[in-house]
Amino acid sequence: MRIPPILRLKLLWVALIIFIFLLGSIAYGFFTAPKANPYTPAGQYAASPYAVPSWASIFYGNLPPDIKVPNDYDLIAAKTASVINYWHLSNFTFNGDAVIIIYNSSYGPKGETNFQKTLYSYGNTGNGSVEIIIEGTNPLNLTLYHDFLYNYLLPRETKFGDYEFYIIQASISAYATNAYYTFNGYVINPSNATFWLFLAGNYLPTNLVTLSTVFKYLGNGGWNYILASSASAGETPWFYTSNIPPNESAVASVIMLQSMFNSTGNYKVEFTINYIPNGPNSKLVVYLSDLYFEFLGSRYGVLGTDNNGASVFAEYSQGGIFDLELAILAGLAIVFIGAVFGLFAGYYGGKLDQILTSFTDFILLLPGLAILIVLITIFQQIFTVFPKDILIIIVLVILSWPPTSRTIRGQVLQVRNMAFVEAAKALGMSNMEIIRKHVLRHVFPIIIAQLIFDIPAVIGIESALDFLGIGILKFPTWGNMLGFSINASLDAPGFAWWWILTPGIALFLLGVSLFYIGEAITRYYGSLVGETH
């Protein structure tokens, strides 16, 4: 089998391998990285801020990964009866009170208040809950608990504070008859120190009035979502019971995490129901789901996290997809306009060539980036209903087609004087037929090469706009990844090299690979213009 000469170019194969590697990494990220927008709360805190890539932990020691209790969705969402054993529950009678534990497969969280779907929270999970029935006239404490092992480096304390943190959550629906109750969350460390993380219920004891700002009232019926984290220690009961000096209250979350995770060993997550009867026939029915604790670690995934704990790999893949889509759309428009101008100017010549060439040169002489910035700024104010990405494409196309037009015009000037064009004219073919059947056919490879050249050029310009803060900012692009990472790098451990280098290397490799692919096509087919091949 005869191999086309263009495929014998080693540099072309190197460029193709680099380009395929980039596309493959973007596709892999699309299927494996979180789908939520990393620039919104829903896509943040896949791990702690500035978590290093998992493979890079060899340079940093035994950094902790994300620790999830439970680590199975069916247990979190109470989709399986084994959730009862997981939290060490069983029926019992104590001091005259009867406690009955039931797995309820037909009742679960619906329409929860204060729930927002994020990478680390679970809620609105539908049917499935642990049903707890308590009856009796004596106070009773019921504890749900599960142990986990922490055998990693302790949380990092730096002048910028802690990067790791935890979250604890629950969904609860309760019905109380002649009874009060409170629902609490705790973590107990290997030194048996207890950290009180949230407080809810239908009753706040008078000796706890100082906790009224963190107490969440739960009425009869309905589902309520509860979330607490060390990211905001002032919103937990621990803050008010830990005797923190006023001058240290601003760093309470750091103190809490350092105090909690002060050693390796077995930790315990606890949810406690305090049952307080208030007369005869007292009864409390509690439904629990979405019981979950997570320690957000400082190593995560393929490319770590940014300053908001969002997956850098998700930003890379989403940004790459957006950049390529925008560049292909803009590139096609640029090539189409440039090809039309170049074909007509080169084929017809004369005054039409002078007019089209003069207009092309005028656009070409404009200071592109400066005009681009001005036009985008103006258009954003005038066309407020237009998405910014559409405005960027329009302005890019307006300013970027002239080089393509000049290149194609030069090729057409060569083709129009060749013998097969003269023969077509002699046979009575119209100019449009000659352009469509002969001229366009012979310059089409050059048009493809120009498209390949235009794609990295468009991505480079769009990335520069994003880097400067006047382009796309609400969802990831490689340009704004660079801008955000450089701005935040001074506060980051190790300057967050995994965040900065990723888009920079991607832009470099994309530009180099597509340049040499386009260059190979241009050199090969440019030398064959006018020949049959």
Side-chain angles (χ1 to χ4, degrees):
M1 181 179 177
R2 183 174 178 270
I3 300 175
I6 189 172
L7 295 181
R8 298 173 187 171
L9 299 175
K10 294 181 179 179
L11 195 59
L12 174 64
W13 280 106
V14 172
L16 284 172
I17 289 171
I18 294 174
F19 183 63
I20 291 171
F21 168 77
L22 281 174
L23 291 183
S25 65
I26 292 171
Y28 178 72
F30 175 79
F31 289 108
T32 61
K35 297 294 188 295
N37 183 349
Y39 291 176
T40 65
Q44 296 171 355
Y45 299 112
S48 66
Y50 300 121
V52 306
S54 292
W55 55 267
S57 61
I58 58 176
F59 305 115
Y60 295 90
N62 189 26
L63 294 176
D66 289 349
I67 300 172
K68 305 173 186 288
V69 181
N71 62 1
D72 179 83
Y73 175 75
D74 285 346
L75 290 173
I76 297 170
K79 300 294 186 184
T80 171
S82 59
V83 67
I84 292 176
N85 293 329
Y86 184 87
W87 292 108
H88 297 88
L89 290 170
S90 61
N91 298 337
F92 66 92
T93 300
F94 179 77
N95 202 19
D97 291 346
V99 178
I100 300 174
I101 309 296
I102 302 170
Y103 172 66
N104 192 321
S105 61
S106 60
Y107 184 62
K110 293 180 181 178
E112 292 178 300
T113 58
N114 301 321
F115 171 72
Q116 181 180 18
K117 178 64 178 174
T118 68
L119 291 180
Y120 58 82
S121 60
Y122 296 86
N124 288 307
T125 49
N127 292 333
S129 61
V130 177
E131 182 178 350
I132 301 171
I133 304 171
I134 305 175
E135 291 186 88
T137 57
N138 292 298
L140 175 73
N141 292 338
L142 176 66
T143 299
L144 298 74
Y145 70 92
H146 193 85
D147 297 332
F148 69 92
L149 177 65
Y150 186 93
N151 58 353
Y152 308 98
L153 291 176
L154 300 180
R156 299 169 291 174
E157 183 176 9
T158 72
K159 64 180 180 178
F160 304 112
D162 281 303
Y163 296 112
E164 299 94 342
F165 68 98
Y166 68 80
I167 67 101
I168 186 171
Q169 67 159 57
S171 293
I172 179 173
S173 177
Y175 298 85
T177 304
N178 293 329
Y180 296 112
Y181 72 93
T182 59
F183 181 55
N184 305 270
Y186 302 92
V187 166
I188 302 173
N189 70 12
S191 303
N192 210 35
T194 300
F195 295 82
W196 194 8
L197 305 184
F198 69 77
L199 170 63
N202 68 349
Y203 168 70
L204 180 64
T206 54
N207 63 326
L208 297 179
V209 290
T210 56
L211 302 179
S212 58
T213 56
V214 295
F215 173 73
K216 182 170 183 177
Y217 176 78
L218 305 177
N220 269 1
W223 282 93
N224 297 274
Y225 180 73
I226 300 169
L227 175 70
S229 81
S230 62
S232 180
E235 296 180 1
T236 69
W238 175 89
F239 176 81
Y240 296 94
T241 60
S242 56
N243 299 316
I244 294 178
N247 63 319
E248 295 182 354
S249 61
V251 291
S253 60
V254 176
I255 296 172
M256 177 166 58
L257 194 69
Q258 292 292 322
S259 301
M260 183 185 300
F261 289 91
N262 60 6
S263 64
T264 60
N266 287 316
Y267 285 73
K268 183 179 291 185
V269 179
E270 282 191 358
F271 297 92
T272 300
I273 299 171
N274 306 119
Y275 170 68
I276 308 165
N278 189 38
N281 302 317
S282 296
K283 182 178 179 180
L284 175 65
V285 181
V286 176
Y287 300 90
L288 295 175
S289 184
D290 303 330
L291 301 178
Y292 181 62
F293 173 89
E294 181 175 359
F295 176 89
L296 283 82
S298 48
R299 58 180 161 110
Y300 176 81
V302 178
L303 292 175
T305 64
D306 64 10
N307 60 329
N308 292 313
S311 169
V312 172
F313 196 30
E315 295 176 3
Y316 165 79
S317 60
Q318 293 182 28
I321 291 171
F322 172 80
D323 283 343
L324 287 173
E325 288 178 345
L326 182 142
I328 291 172
L329 288 174
L332 288 171
I334 289 168
V335 166
F336 175 78
I337 296 173
V340 170
F341 273 69
L343 282 168
F344 282 93
Y347 181 79
Y348 286 102
K351 290 185 178 180
L352 181 61
D353 183 24
Q354 292 179 359
I355 293 171
L356 295 179
T357 301
S358 298
F359 182 68
T360 301
D361 291 342
F362 171 76
I363 302 295
L364 192 62
L365 291 173
L366 294 175
L369 185 59
I371 296 295
L372 190 64
I373 293 172
V374 172
L375 288 179
I376 288 177
T377 304
I378 293 173
F379 284 4
Q380 284 184 111
Q381 302 300 319
I382 298 175
F383 305 107
T384 55
V385 296
F386 269 77
K388 187 180 285 188
D389 52 342
I390 301 299
L391 290 177
I392 289 176
I393 290 176
I394 292 172
V395 177
L396 277 174
V397 170
I398 291 173
L399 296 176
S400 302
W401 60 267
T404 300
S405 175
R406 289 177 64 89
T407 300
I408 294 173
R409 172 182 174 273
Q411 295 296 323
V412 173
L413 286 173
Q414 298 180 50
V415 172
R416 74 172 185 176
N417 294 320
M418 291 184 174
F420 63 87
V421 174
E422 295 299 328
K425 290 180 179 178
L427 291 172
M429 293 181 66
S430 67
N431 288 327
M432 289 304 300
E433 286 182 309
I434 294 172
I435 291 174
R436 180 170 56 86
K437 292 183 177 180
H438 296 288
V439 177
L440 183 59
R441 172 175 173 268
H442 282 77
V443 299
F444 187 74
I446 304 302
I447 293 175
I448 296 299
Q450 283 301 122
L451 175 62
I452 294 172
F453 284 134
D454 286 337
I455 288 174
V458 169
I459 290 178
I461 295 171
E462 187 271 332
S463 296
L465 294 174
D466 297 344
F467 179 83
L468 294 173
I470 59 176
I472 306 298
L473 300 176
K474 294 184 178 180
F475 50 86
T477 70
W478 289 349
N480 62 36
M481 280 180 70
L482 270 176
F484 292 148
S485 61
I486 289 175
N487 288 336
S489 63
L490 294 178
D491 294 343
F495 296 102
W497 53 267
W498 56 90
W499 186 17
I500 295 176
L501 292 180
T502 297
I505 292 175
L507 286 168
F508 172 75
L509 292 179
L510 181 68
V512 168
S513 62
L514 289 181
F515 173 80
Y516 282 111
I517 292 172
E519 184 70 11
I521 294 173
T522 300
R523 288 184 180 181
Y524 176 68
Y525 285 102
S527 65
L528 298 177
V529 167
E531 299 181 15
T532 302
H533 53 274

